[in-house]
Amino acid sequence: MSTTISGIWFRIKYEKPVDWSQTYIICGNHTSNLDVSAISMAAKNNFCFIGKEELLDNMVLGFFFRTIDITVNRDSKMSSFRAFKAAAERLKDGISVVIFPEATIPLIYPPELSAFKNGAFRLAIELKIPILPVTSLDTWKILWNTGSQYGSRPGICDIFVHQPVETAHLALDDADTLRDEVYEIIKKKFDEHNH
C-alpha cells in the first residue's frame, strides 16, 4: 500500500487476522504525521479519528476533521469531555475510533514512547469495546514530525497491528492497568524494531 506520488509506501503486518465486523478503539503510537495515513490503510472498517484542534488548519487533514472526525483542544477539559462524548456516540453506532493516547508527537529525536493518557481506556471499559493496538515502527524515519527539522524522504513505513485487547471483563478501576498493558504492547514492538 502506498502514497506513490510522494514515494512513501506502507507495509502492514497483522499479529492475527482482525475481525473487522467488530467495533474497536484503535490506539496507535504517534511519531509522525504519517501515522494517520498508516492507520487509515491498516483499518478495514468504518472509523474516525480524535485529533488536536490545530488539524483543522491542515490543508489535507482539515477537510476530514471538519466533516467526519472529532477535534479536541488539548488545553480544555470541556473540549476533551465533548470529544469523548462524541467518540462514545460513534462507537455506539458501530464506528471505530482512532485515538493516539500520547496526545502529541514527541519532540525528541529519535522518538521514544511518551506516557499514555487514560481517556481512551476508560471509554473502552465503559462501553466494553476492545482496544486494537497499532505500532508505527518507523514512520518517523520517513517523515519526522512535520518534516521541517529532519526533512522527509521516500521509503517504506512498517506498521504492526496487534491482536485486540478485550475489555468486557474490566471495571473502570482497571483503566490504568489497561492503559499500561497497551503501552507495554506498543513499546515492546517499537523498541524491538528500533534498537
Side-chain angles (χ1 to χ4, degrees):
M1 296 178 186
S2 67
T3 49
T4 47
I5 267 183
S6 58
I8 296 171
W9 288 264
F10 295 91
R11 183 166 48 206
I12 299 164
K13 291 185 180 171
Y14 298 85
E15 184 174 358
K16 280 183 161 181
V18 177
D19 178 3
W20 292 112
S21 68
Q22 273 210 61
T23 305
Y24 300 100
I25 293 180
I26 302 170
C27 286
N29 62 312
H30 205 12
T31 61
S32 165
N33 284 326
L34 292 175
D35 298 330
V36 171
S37 298
I39 289 181
S40 295
M41 292 186 175
K44 306 295 181 192
N45 59 2
N46 289 332
F47 62 91
C48 68
F49 286 87
I50 289 186
K52 60 186 179 182
E53 205 171 55
E54 297 94 299
L55 289 172
L56 291 170
D57 299 326
N58 183 291
M59 275 176 48
V60 177
L61 299 176
F63 170 77
F64 295 102
F65 277 95
R66 279 190 294 275
T67 53
I68 58 172
D69 293 317
I70 301 164
T71 58
V72 59
N73 177 340
R74 291 175 301 189
D75 298 325
S76 164
K77 285 187 177 174
M78 183 53 73
S79 177
S80 292
F81 173 78
R82 280 197 300 263
F84 277 94
K85 195 166 185 296
E89 292 306 315
R90 304 285 177 92
L91 291 161
K92 288 173 188 171
D93 288 340
I95 298 168
S96 293
V97 174
V98 182
I99 300 173
F100 295 107
E102 291 170 279
T104 188
I105 297 173
L107 296 175
I108 56 169
Y109 187 94
E112 293 175 4
L113 206 60
S114 298
F116 282 4
K117 299 185 181 300
N118 72 356
F121 308 100
R122 290 183 64 82
L123 187 61
I125 291 170
E126 277 177 27
L127 299 180
K128 307 301 182 192
I129 300 277
I131 298 276
L132 186 64
V134 177
T135 305
S136 289
L137 297 166
D138 50 15
T139 49
W140 61 277
K141 292 179 181 175
I142 305 301
L143 177 68
W144 166 248
N145 199 343
T146 61
S148 57
Q149 190 174 2
Y150 292 94
S152 61
R153 61 182 177 84
I156 297 171
C157 300
D158 285 299
I159 311 301
F160 191 85
V161 180
H162 301 266
Q163 64 183 347
V165 177
E166 294 299 333
T167 64
H169 60 292
L170 300 176
L172 272 180
D173 287 349
D174 300 317
D176 288 354
T177 304
L178 176 63
R179 177 198 64 202
D180 295 346
E181 179 186 351
V182 173
Y183 179 91
E184 288 304 325
I185 288 168
I186 292 174
K187 185 177 191 306
K188 183 170 185 282
K189 197 72 183 174
F190 184 79
D191 289 348
E192 280 172 4
H193 188 84
N194 290 293
H195 294 106

